[in-house]
Amino acid sequence: MKRLFIIYQGRVQGVGFRYFVYRAAYIMKLTGHVRNMDNGNVEVEVQGPDDHISVFLDTVKGGNGYSRIENYSMKEIPVKPNEKSFDITY
């Protein structure tokens, strides 16, 4: 089990990217959140089994056909043991 903090840069706002990330996390049974940032980037915190997170990362990197990830940064952060869902936050 691990938790990652990820910032995606590129064409990631106004193209359905948050919902795409949400669906990928839901399918993989991951927890956390996704939100737009004021600077045009998208922030994701995602938590779950290592193998599920690997599939999630590959899926998100592939995009939804409208988004284009130009760069991203990622770091491991402490797990939130009582978290139950993945949410789109505003």
Side-chain angles (χ1 to χ4, degrees):
M1 176 78 73
K2 69 179 171 184
R3 184 177 189 89
L4 297 177
F5 176 82
I6 311 163
I7 301 290
Y8 290 103
Q9 299 172 309
R11 189 173 60 209
V12 291
Q13 288 193 17
V15 293
F17 186 70
R18 282 181 303 163
Y19 183 72
F20 174 70
V21 169
Y22 168 82
R23 289 287 302 153
Y26 178 80
I27 289 168
M28 292 285 109
K29 298 182 179 8
L30 301 171
T31 64
H33 71 265
V34 58
R35 73 174 186 95
N36 283 343
M37 300 173 69
D38 292 338
N39 63 2
N41 297 335
V42 170
E43 171 190 298
V44 176
E45 286 189 24
V46 63
Q47 176 174 294
D50 290 1
D51 57 336
H52 290 210
I53 288 182
S54 292
V55 173
F56 168 84
L57 293 173
D58 289 343
T59 300
V60 171
K61 192 184 301 182
N64 66 355
Y66 302 103
S67 61
R68 185 180 67 245
I69 297 170
E70 295 173 357
N71 196 18
Y72 66 94
S73 61
M74 179 171 35
K75 67 179 180 179
E76 194 162 341
I77 59 175
V79 169
K80 294 183 178 178
N82 296 323
E83 190 172 62
K84 303 290 184 212
S85 65
F86 192 95
D87 301 307
I88 299 174
T89 58
Y90 299 94

